[in-house]
Each structure stands twice: as structure tokens, then as C-alpha cells.
């Protein structure tokens, strides 16, 4: 058989091509697989809010020590 051999540089360049960023035109819409489900979108927004609130909090020690 014939093998197609691609080097690492070529594969990394393909990742950034415009064709790789767009989904196929005939792809069926399956929530949670080909498109984000509504519940997933809500969860993503909640996670973003939590991360933003954690960043706003000042740094605290992980453990408090009683001396």
C-alpha cells in the first residue's frame, strides 16, 4: 500500500487554515455533539462567572495555621 506521510510543520499549518475552522455544510445539528446544547451554554457562562469572581478575590493562604 501507499502511505501518506505528513511532517509536523505541515499539520500545524493545516490546523490554522480557514477550511479547518468551518464545519461542513451538510453536517446535521446534534445538540452536545456538533453544536453546543443550551444547558452546555448555561454551564459555560456559569463557569466563566465563577472564574471571574475567583480572579477578583484577593490571594489567600491555602491553609490557615493556628499558632
Amino acid at each position: 500500500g501507499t502511505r501518506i506521510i505528513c511532517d509536523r510543520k505541515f499539520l500545524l499549518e493545516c490546523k490554522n487554515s480557514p477550511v479547518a475552522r468551518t464545519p461542513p455544510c451538510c453536517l446535521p445539528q446534534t445538540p452536545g455533539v456538533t453544536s453546543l446544547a443550551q444547558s452546555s451554554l448555561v454551564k459555560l457562562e456559569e463557569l466563566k462567572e465563577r472564574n471571574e469572581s475567583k480572579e477578583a478575590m484577593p490571594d489567600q493562604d491555602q491553609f490557615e495555621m493556628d499558632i
Side-chain angles (χ1 to χ4, degrees):
T2 304
R3 286 190 178 190
I4 298 173
I5 300 173
C6 301
D7 62 345
R8 183 177 187 273
K9 180 182 175 187
F10 173 75
L11 293 174
L12 288 173
E13 288 174 1
C14 288
K15 179 181 79 168
N16 295 327
S17 74
V19 175
R21 294 175 183 255
T22 58
C25 63
C26 301
L27 196 64
Q29 296 296 322
T30 307
V33 179
T34 57
S35 63
L36 291 176
Q38 284 292 359
S39 60
S40 297
L41 290 173
V42 172
K43 289 179 184 178
L44 285 173
E45 290 176 5
E46 289 177 0
L47 287 174
K48 287 180 183 177
E49 290 174 3
R50 287 183 190 171
N51 287 340
E52 289 173 358
S53 65
K54 285 182 182 179
E55 291 174 359
M57 293 173 52
D59 292 335
Q60 296 178 353
D61 293 335
Q62 184 175 3
F63 301 103
E64 293 183 16
M65 295 180 62
D66 294 332
I67 298 179

